[in-house]
Amino acid sequence: MREKTDVLIVGGGIVGAATAYHLARQGVPTVLLEAETLAWGATGRNLGFIWVHTRKVGPELDLVMATRTGIDQLVGELDADVELQTNGGLVFFQDERQAPVMRELVEQRNANGVPMTLLSGDEARELVPLLPPAVLGATYCPLDTQVEPTLWVQAFAGAARRLGAQIREGVRVERLLREGDRIVGVATDAGEIEARDVVLAAGGWAPELAATAGLELPIHPMRLQIVQTLPMPRETRHIVYGSNALKQYSTFQDLPSFDDSLFVNEVEWRHDMLLLEGLSQKADGSYLLGCAMDYPGFVWDADLRGVSLINEVFMEHIPRLREAGFAKAWAGILPFTVDNLPIVDRMPGVDGLIVAAGHVFGNGSGPTSGQLVASMVTGEAPVISLEPFRAARDGLQLTADSSVW
């Protein structure tokens, strides 16, 4: 006989773990399956940013703010240390030609209801002493937040388990079980499990698993590479971007004064790879430096090109990091859709399958997505509108070569 449960979640990243938590809070019998260990995929391989600074007004910002607004209460409910820092984030610049664009960004963000300040170079260094004298200024948003992403996932999963959910690591889902127009469960390497609802929260693996039931998902893989240093003196309590990172965000690209040539580093051209220039300091004093970006498919390894790009740019822009010891480097596969919004919806054409995948900014949007999935299961009113996240919305594409956030 097949094992049975009400809801079966495929994937132990932030979306899956948050979904398990919110369902367990409602008393819904829930099983979560993770092929490796919790946060093994994209969730556990990023800088830990909950980034508000450049989130587009509308559903993208709504997804993150639903998490950010109540994050202190949420962490208290989870009853776990996630290394939460709510000190805000900076984007520094070193070229005076960039100053008018940064000023315009601050004006636009404040007009959109996102609090932001333009700091002088001295004010930026007061917040982040690591920054060198060459930094002329920075934008500062007090809403930007940092968590340790693996602890973030484990906190949701641990709370879900205490509320009665089953969290099973090392169980690989091999295919979805389809009977006619209904998904009835999954086949795993440990046997079959039947469920009233299957939640596909498998990130970059979601299209492959959907295909086992004859379904197509317009979700694509992007590789991000990160370098971790050995511990250094603990002095950076804000999350930090370099201004060149902003060219990845449509909020910035859409500014009338934006000029792409002012926000591209020569090292990026030389390595033929973009850098989302960001850093954060962990509780142990080590720095996470990232993120080299490209689109090689499901390549989970860092390469010398990406590591060289990260090291060269950071040694140029923040000379004190030349003293940093090298600890390790890794890569993660970030799932994306062409409109930068996840799919959080019951899959059209079949019953019994909810898709919650395609999260580019999962640390902030994952907890909200978990609430949305729980509302679909229980019939309660969603915390924000589900319409922007429909699987059949206009504009999604089954192929994509690159992404702009």
Side-chain angles (χ1 to χ4, degrees):
M1 287 183 60
R2 290 175 179 167
E3 179 185 352
K4 295 183 179 181
T5 186
D6 277 19
V7 179
L8 188 142
I9 301 167
V10 182
I14 185 59
V15 178
T19 299
Y21 169 67
H22 286 292
L23 286 170
R25 286 189 67 187
Q26 299 297 318
V28 179
T30 300
V31 175
L32 181 150
L33 304 180
E34 164 55 45
E36 303 288 346
T37 57
L38 291 171
W40 188 90
T43 298
R45 297 168 183 253
N46 63 73
L47 298 175
F49 290 8
I50 296 176
W51 187 249
V52 178
H53 219 105
T54 53
R55 296 270 80 93
K56 285 185 290 189
V57 173
E60 184 178 307
L61 183 61
D62 294 344
L63 264 180
V64 175
M65 287 306 298
T67 297
R68 176 62 184 89
T69 300
I71 197 165
D72 292 305
Q73 179 181 341
L74 175 59
V75 171
E77 292 172 359
L78 297 177
D79 193 23
D81 179 14
V82 298
E83 297 182 9
L84 175 68
Q85 294 192 74
T86 56
N87 301 318
L90 289 80
V91 181
F92 69 85
F93 62 95
Q94 298 174 295
D95 186 334
E96 62 183 12
R97 296 174 301 170
Q98 297 173 335
V101 194
M102 306 300 279
R103 188 174 298 110
E104 186 180 5
L105 174 67
V106 170
E107 293 170 355
Q108 184 210 64
R109 295 270 78 189
N110 280 301
N112 290 336
V114 177
M116 191 172 292
T117 306
L118 186 64
L119 305 178
S120 68
D122 287 340
E123 289 170 329
R125 281 182 288 276
E126 192 172 323
L127 293 181
V128 183
L130 186 73
L131 296 177
V135 168
L136 302 177
T139 58
Y140 169 72
C141 177
L143 297 178
D144 295 329
T145 299
Q146 179 184 348
V147 293
E148 203 296 316
T150 297
L151 295 179
W152 192 221
V153 174
Q154 291 172 344
F156 279 99
R161 187 181 283 116
R162 291 193 298 274
L163 291 168
Q166 296 184 48
I167 310 294
R168 302 180 189 174
E169 300 175 81
V171 179
R172 185 174 301 278
V173 173
E174 297 174 338
R175 59 188 174 90
L176 304 180
L177 297 176
R178 180 171 182 169
E179 296 180 2
D181 290 333
R182 183 170 187 85
I183 303 301
V184 298
V186 300
T188 79
D189 55 6
E192 294 184 350
I193 304 176
E194 186 176 326
R196 184 188 69 202
D197 280 311
V198 173
V199 179
L200 189 53
W205 288 278
E208 179 181 343
L209 286 170
T212 65
L215 304 170
E216 292 183 314
L217 286 178
I219 295 171
H220 317 284
M222 169 198 300
R223 179 173 65 166
L224 298 182
Q225 300 184 53
I226 292 175
V227 167
Q228 183 172 5
T229 74
L230 294 175
M232 297 179 70
R234 187 81 169 90
E235 61 179 0
T236 302
R237 291 175 171 80
H238 300 75
I239 56 180
V240 180
Y241 265 156
S243 59
N244 287 356
L246 292 177
K247 63 181 176 293
Q248 176 62 21
Y249 292 92
S250 59
T251 296
F252 196 67
Q253 290 185 1
D254 293 341
L255 294 173
S257 60
F258 175 72
D259 181 347
D260 183 71
S261 67
L262 298 179
F263 295 90
V264 177
N265 189 289
E266 178 273 334
V267 183
E268 293 176 296
W269 288 111
R270 183 151 42 83
H271 289 285
D272 192 25
M273 183 181 285
L274 294 178
L275 181 67
L276 190 70
E277 183 185 358
L279 70 85
S280 61
Q281 190 170 31
K282 292 171 64 69
D284 67 0
S286 65
Y287 279 96
L288 300 182
L289 311 175
C291 303
M293 304 168 54
D294 64 352
Y295 304 86
F298 275 81
V299 178
W300 284 87
D301 298 315
D303 60 23
L304 288 178
R305 184 169 58 124
V307 172
S308 296
L309 172 61
I310 294 168
N311 291 344
E312 286 187 50
V313 170
F314 276 102
M315 286 192 297
E316 174 189 346
H317 289 177
I318 305 181
R320 276 186 55 196
L321 289 173
R322 297 173 184 173
E323 308 164 8
F326 177 84
K328 57 184 176 179
W330 63 84
I333 298 298
L334 191 67
F336 71 92
T337 64
V338 294
D339 65 5
N340 201 39
L341 295 175
I343 295 171
V344 185
D345 194 11
R346 289 191 175 274
M347 191 67 183
V350 291
D351 294 326
L353 179 63
I354 298 172
V355 176
H359 294 74
V360 169
F361 45 102
N363 292 322
S365 62
T368 309
S369 294
Q371 288 181 282
L372 293 175
V373 172
S375 71
M376 281 186 253
V377 171
T378 64
E380 294 190 350
V383 291
I384 60 175
S385 173
L386 287 161
E387 289 306 312
F389 315 111
R390 296 298 185 191
R393 63 185 183 263
D394 292 339
L396 294 185
Q397 301 171 11
L398 291 172
T399 59
D401 297 325
S402 62
S403 170
V404 174
W405 301 345

